[in-house]
Amino acid sequence: MRKLIGILLLGWVTLTSAGIAQANETLKIGISGYPETLHPAFSSSAVQSYILGFVRRPIMVYNHAWKIACMLCDTVPSFDNGLAKKVPLADGKEGVQLSLSLPENAKWGDGEPLTTKDVAFSIAVGQNKDVAVADKEVFDRIVDFKIVDDHHFTVTLDRIDYSYNAFMGVEILPAHLEKPIFDEDPATYQKRSLYVTAPATPGLWFGPYLVTKVITASAVMLEENPYWWGKKPQIAAIQLRNFENTAALEASLRAGEIDYTPGEIGLSLDKVIGFEKRFGDQYDIIYKKGLSFYHLDVNSAFAPLGDRRVRQALLYAIDRNEISQKLFAGKNAPTLDFIHPDDPVFTDDVPHYQFDPEKADALLNDAGWTRTGKAMRKNAAGETLHFTLYGATESSTGQLIQQVLQNRWKQAGIDVDILNQPARVLFGETLPQRKFDGLAMFGWISAPEHLPLTILKSDQIPTAENHYEGQNYTGYNNPKVDALIDQIELELDFDKRVPLWHELQKIYATDLPALPLYHGESGFIFPKWLKGIRPTGHMYPSSLWAEEWYRTDQ
């Protein structure tokens, strides 16, 4: 599962703090975006992940060292420690059985014990054919689940892959609250869940904080969870405020109305760089390179873009270094493909697309899109080479990039319209239902050596028949890539996986199902009194360790 990043997603509200902790005990965070839902099973957005990091814990995560670690389990299983073992499956293949244990003192926010019954219910929700969870693939791989006791369970997965012991993606739900609602009608459960109708219900949460108030699309307020079994948080309460534009966020930060803006979902990098130039001596500002991949998804069903030569020409026709230098002060350098250079499976032995208008011209001519003088390109039928570039209306940075791209493509004789939509529409409808007649600009954030299964495999193309599940919004269908992904996944030897990764990257950089822009850095703006926050650089946000945060002014 990869998390969606809308480049910059914003909305704003001014709050009072009645009924919450005193102002000097409350950390006020300015964020850029609001999730389509707070239900943990029905979204893949970075902003949702960040908010839920305060109030929930995954079973496992990638930690700050980019290694698999337990958060809601006692020990990561492995073949060496005996908690993972190979088992025969009914179809004659071999799977893996993991033995896992939950913390015995874990409780929901209403005091009810968190047990294996909750895990069982969560898997039943994900496996139900009438329910479209964000990552169905996780649940499809579970072939058996057994409760040993209230705190121990075994789960059998249908394959032994290189991340066989990373049991991730199953978001635990409170059976004592949600199961009666689900059982009433699974097909409509998503709309009737308490996470939607009453998100301030304490029993929905089990992190160091509880959701105590929600102002839809504007704010979420959190207070310390009295039933949290881990390290006591040192900050009593947190307000997360959503801002509608960069100016409002910056002004609120400068006025002290908010204290902190996180790199994961705060100001975009260019805005942080500008802020640092003006006010850097008054704040602590850090930059973190990460596994975010900003790109242009190509709808391959749209005829002109179904031609690989056209896609390659589009990339040759833009100057990504220009974007890096003018908008990001040389940061966010152009990328070759979806693999980050710091990832151990990266290779630069792939096609490079430096700014080269002559190559773009030759490819477009070869594809039958010719021009006379400065006119727009046309094909033999007299049709103009035209498409639409989609993005999020809330993204001021995205709109600047769109204008640069539109101008360069116009110089190449390509007619491009820009159409921006609210993020909830772009990510909730346009992309999943593949309603874009051209390109869509957004970002993914993932984990180390993260298999691009959901964005590249042909069985992950969302359709009405599969309830629009899957994240292959481009409609990319390459049997060789399907086979390579399967081969990579099942190869346990890292040294043997690496050349397979390299082959996959070469195909990707040649076919260009999406046009790569850059791997993003994030900028974090701290007040000088706020300490303990450690960015991870991957899809698991810093909020998952919020109990480690503290202030030095009290």
Side-chain angles (χ1 to χ4, degrees):
M1 168 60 69
R2 295 163 187 264
K3 301 293 183 183
L4 282 163
I5 313 169
I7 297 188
L8 188 64
L9 310 177
L10 300 168
W12 182 76
V13 68
T14 299
L15 299 176
T16 61
S17 55
I20 201 165
Q22 295 298 315
N24 64 352
E25 297 177 340
T26 301
L27 176 64
K28 293 162 287 187
I29 303 176
I31 63 173
S32 54
Y34 193 87
E36 56 188 285
T37 177
L38 287 179
H39 195 300
F42 294 111
S43 177
S44 58
S45 71
V47 66
Q48 188 219 46
S49 179
Y50 185 83
I51 294 171
L52 296 188
F54 294 102
V55 294
R56 297 177 53 81
R57 289 294 179 264
I59 294 175
M60 295 181 192
V61 297
Y62 282 92
N63 60 19
H64 297 86
W66 293 15
K67 303 295 183 183
I68 298 171
C70 274
M71 287 209 99
L72 199 66
C73 57
D74 292 333
T75 306
V76 176
S78 71
F79 294 132
D80 291 336
N81 65 23
L83 295 177
K85 63 180 182 180
K86 299 176 182 179
V87 293
L89 303 177
D91 61 4
K93 297 180 181 178
E94 195 171 47
V96 61
Q97 184 185 81
L98 307 178
S99 296
L100 289 159
S101 54
L102 304 173
E104 294 194 3
N105 54 349
K107 292 182 178 180
W108 294 97
D110 57 4
E112 283 291 314
L114 190 157
T115 72
T116 49
K117 293 185 180 68
D118 298 308
V119 183
F121 167 63
S122 307
I123 291 173
V125 171
Q127 290 187 326
N128 190 286
K129 63 180 178 60
D130 293 324
V131 178
V133 294
D135 192 359
K136 201 73 166 183
E137 178 73 14
V138 168
F139 298 94
D140 289 343
R141 295 186 175 194
I142 298 172
V143 296
D144 186 55
F145 177 85
K146 285 188 171 62
I147 291 176
V148 178
D149 56 38
D150 280 352
H151 304 289
H152 298 81
F153 66 90
T154 64
V155 59
T156 301
L157 308 178
D158 67 356
R159 70 202 70 187
I160 303 172
D161 60 25
Y162 68 86
S163 58
Y164 71 91
N165 58 346
F167 188 55
M168 300 176 178
V170 174
E171 298 288 349
I172 300 181
L173 308 173
H176 69 289
L177 295 179
E178 291 286 284
K179 191 174 187 300
I181 301 172
F182 175 79
D183 289 345
E184 184 179 332
D185 180 17
T188 62
Y189 163 65
Q190 181 175 349
K191 295 179 180 179
R192 296 182 296 102
S193 164
L194 291 175
Y195 288 103
V196 176
T197 62
T201 303
L204 298 176
W205 313 112
F206 59 96
Y209 296 93
L210 301 176
V211 173
T212 57
K213 187 174 183 180
V214 171
I215 303 175
T216 301
S218 297
V220 178
M221 287 174 272
L222 314 174
E223 290 188 33
E224 187 177 344
N225 179 3
Y227 293 103
W228 168 244
W229 65 92
K231 179 180 178 179
K232 178 179 173 62
Q234 299 182 49
I235 295 173
I238 292 174
Q239 294 179 4
L240 295 143
R241 304 185 187 182
N242 181 25
F243 285 75
E244 66 182 7
N245 58 64
T246 298
L249 178 52
E250 286 193 14
S252 188
L253 185 61
R254 291 286 298 137
E257 295 170 351
I258 60 171
D259 303 311
Y260 164 57
T261 181
E264 295 101 336
I265 56 167
L267 289 173
S268 59
L269 181 66
D270 59 316
K271 304 304 180 186
V272 176
I273 292 170
F275 189 92
E276 183 178 28
K277 289 177 180 178
R278 300 190 304 276
F279 313 114
D281 60 334
Q282 302 170 45
Y283 297 84
D284 288 334
I285 298 176
I286 65 171
Y287 297 95
K288 179 71 174 180
K289 291 184 177 180
L291 299 176
S292 56
F293 172 52
Y294 292 88
H295 62 283
L296 305 165
D297 258 17
V298 180
N299 190 342
S300 59
F302 184 61
L305 302 181
D307 189 324
R308 184 171 69 183
R309 294 168 296 183
V310 174
R311 299 194 297 272
Q312 292 174 342
L314 290 176
L315 204 49
Y316 277 125
I318 61 176
D319 189 348
R320 293 176 293 164
N321 278 312
E322 176 184 35
I323 295 172
S324 174
Q325 294 299 326
K326 289 186 176 181
L327 295 184
F328 305 119
K331 299 178 186 292
N332 285 354
T335 184
L336 299 176
D337 55 54
F338 63 94
I339 300 291
H340 194 282
D342 291 341
D343 199 302
V345 300
F346 171 80
T347 180
D348 62 1
D349 184 22
V350 301
H352 290 223
Y353 296 89
Q354 304 294 340
F355 178 48
D356 193 332
E358 291 184 0
K359 282 188 177 179
D361 182 66
L363 282 164
L364 290 170
N365 288 337
D366 188 52
W369 297 99
T370 59
R371 68 189 305 195
T372 301
K374 299 292 185 180
M376 294 295 104
R377 294 179 180 272
K378 296 182 181 294
N379 62 12
E383 299 166 327
T384 300
L385 180 53
H386 167 269
F387 62 84
T388 304
L389 175 58
Y390 290 73
T393 54
E394 301 91 339
S395 175
S396 59
T397 300
Q399 289 161 23
L400 290 174
I401 295 174
Q402 285 176 318
Q403 291 167 16
V404 173
L405 298 178
Q406 183 187 45
N407 182 58
R408 287 295 185 184
W409 283 326
K410 183 178 179 180
Q411 292 174 24
I414 304 167
D415 185 29
V416 180
D417 289 332
I418 292 174
L419 176 59
N420 291 314
Q421 301 175 323
R424 58 182 172 78
V425 177
L426 180 66
F427 300 126
E429 180 179 336
T430 301
L431 284 169
Q433 297 183 27
R434 303 185 64 224
K435 291 182 176 180
F436 57 109
D437 55 340
L439 308 178
M441 182 170 61
F442 63 99
W444 295 112
I445 185 164
S446 60
E449 199 184 346
H450 192 78
L451 201 67
L453 186 150
T454 62
I455 65 172
L456 290 183
K457 283 200 74 175
S458 59
D459 62 3
Q460 296 296 307
I461 298 172
T463 64
E465 289 72 25
N466 66 14
H467 305 290
Y468 299 108
E469 292 173 355
Q471 297 172 319
N472 185 350
Y473 305 141
T474 68
Y476 184 60
N477 187 342
N478 185 329
K480 188 172 183 179
V481 166
D482 287 351
L484 259 177
I485 289 174
D486 290 340
Q487 194 176 355
I488 291 170
E489 186 176 34
L490 299 177
E491 179 52 70
L492 302 188
D493 188 322
F494 176 76
D495 291 335
K496 293 180 180 179
R497 281 201 309 277
V498 169
L500 299 175
W501 274 109
H502 292 178
E503 186 178 356
L504 178 60
Q505 290 168 79
K506 289 178 183 177
I507 296 174
Y508 185 95
T510 301
D511 281 358
L512 296 178
L515 307 186
L517 293 176
Y518 54 85
H519 289 289
E521 291 191 36
S522 299
F524 295 72
I525 303 177
F526 303 87
K528 290 186 176 293
W529 48 259
L530 181 60
K531 307 296 180 183
I533 299 176
R534 299 169 60 204
T536 66
H538 53 63
M539 66 186 287
Y540 290 98
S542 54
S543 54
L544 284 167
W545 292 268
E547 64 270 31
E548 304 290 340
W549 302 3
Y550 62 98
R551 49 193 310 157
T552 60
D553 60 345
Q554 294 181 351

